[in-house]
Amino acid sequence: MVKKIRVGVLASGRGSNLQAIIDAVDSGMLKGVEIVVVLSDKADAYALERAKKHGIQAVFVDPGKMRRRGDYDIELLKNLRQYKVDLVLLAGYMRIVGPVLVEAFENKMMNIHPSLLPSFPGLHVQKKAIDYGARFSGCTVHFVNGGVDTGPIIIQAVVPVMPGDDEDKLAARILKQEHKIYPEAVRLFAEGRLKVIGREVEIKKHESDGGSFMINPSLKA
Ligand code: GRF
């Protein structure tokens, strides 16, 4: 049997993206993936409950106990090593990841962000897209580097901004696409099809793609 990729997820909140990955594993879409641990900086993160429901180890790592900046990432790294994690997924993880983790998981740590990067990095980005008057926004899965939402882009999905949208409406429309592209990016990683060359992520073609890989799953319909 082929060895499965061991995935660790960092989440601070409701964990709907975590759920999308769990569902993709359960459905057989992510055959080569095992989610081995979910770590959270929030004791009451619903993501931890979702993990427990699916028999996944759920660990609250208390940031209150850390003395120095950087100690928290060292603690996370200990956990990730303990669970022999191959790939880290940030899924609504609200802390900035420091150099200790970034270097330990170079090109092996992904994040999902609810805008079409490089537009609108940071927080409250759906509101920023509306306020700016953007016609389109979307979501991005990228590898994590030393900056905030600046790493090499793996997959993006485009989502229209509709007249009358508020932050919540646009966020909900984008979230639907997040739940498609995150599992897709994990699948490509697990199949060994992602190669980072500078800022670009090359996606190796597969026979089942019929020779043309659909970069944007939202255009498949
Ligand atoms: C998502 O919109 C994600 O893109 C952003 O934070 C939100 C997390 O949602 N990084 P959830 O916890 O996965 O439901």
Side-chain angles (χ1 to χ4, degrees):
M1 219 181 84
V2 182
K3 195 178 161 285
K4 289 190 179 181
I5 298 277
R6 296 174 65 83
V7 169
V9 178
L10 307 190
S12 303
R14 68 189 163 182
S16 71
N17 277 288
L18 164 67
Q19 190 66 53
I21 309 282
I22 291 173
D23 292 347
V25 172
D26 287 353
S27 75
M29 176 197 167
L30 293 178
K31 283 193 199 73
V33 170
E34 185 181 358
I35 306 169
V36 293
V37 66
V38 174
L39 302 170
S40 182
D41 57 331
K42 300 271 185 239
D44 59 352
Y46 189 58
L48 291 174
E49 293 306 314
R50 292 185 194 265
K52 285 181 206 158
K53 276 187 195 160
H54 288 267
I56 299 166
Q57 292 296 315
V59 183
F60 164 55
V61 182
D62 189 352
K65 287 189 179 157
M66 310 299 151
R67 281 163 182 250
R68 285 170 312 184
R69 201 187 152 95
D71 282 358
Y72 191 70
D73 281 2
I74 292 171
E75 197 55 36
L76 289 180
L77 185 57
K78 269 191 212 158
N79 276 275
L80 294 167
R81 293 264 193 251
Q82 185 192 330
Y83 285 93
K84 297 188 167 50
V85 165
D86 302 306
L87 173 68
V88 180
L89 301 178
L90 309 185
Y93 179 64
M94 299 309 287
R95 290 176 167 267
I96 291 178
V97 175
V100 168
L101 276 185
V102 171
E103 281 159 30
F105 287 94
E106 190 186 9
N107 298 335
K108 290 177 183 168
M109 178 160 35
M110 294 180 183
N111 180 42
I112 179 119
H113 180 77
S115 79
L116 281 183
L117 291 171
S119 291
F120 310 119
L123 297 173
H124 308 296
V125 296
Q126 298 92 343
K127 181 171 186 315
K128 284 179 190 161
I130 293 169
D131 291 350
Y132 197 87
R135 298 288 187 198
F136 291 93
S137 187
C139 46
T140 303
V141 180
H142 63 91
F143 283 116
V144 176
N145 67 4
V148 175
D149 303 321
T150 53
I153 290 169
I154 303 166
I155 305 187
Q156 294 185 299
V158 179
V159 172
V161 181
M162 309 292 256
D165 264 357
D166 59 20
E167 192 176 354
D168 290 345
K169 281 186 193 163
L170 180 58
R173 196 176 306 121
I174 292 173
L175 196 64
K176 278 191 185 170
Q177 298 304 319
E178 295 186 35
H179 297 163
K180 290 184 188 170
I181 67 170
Y182 215 0
E184 185 71 10
V186 174
R187 183 175 72 86
L188 293 169
F189 182 95
E191 291 175 357
R193 293 170 58 192
L194 299 178
K195 189 174 172 191
V196 182
I197 306 160
R199 276 216 55 86
E200 273 186 58
V201 180
E202 186 183 285
I203 300 176
K204 287 187 207 142
K205 284 181 186 168
H206 199 270
E207 282 167 21
S208 64
D209 300 332
S212 67
F213 181 74
M214 187 73 74
I215 294 284
N216 184 343
S218 68
L219 300 178
K220 265 182 186 166

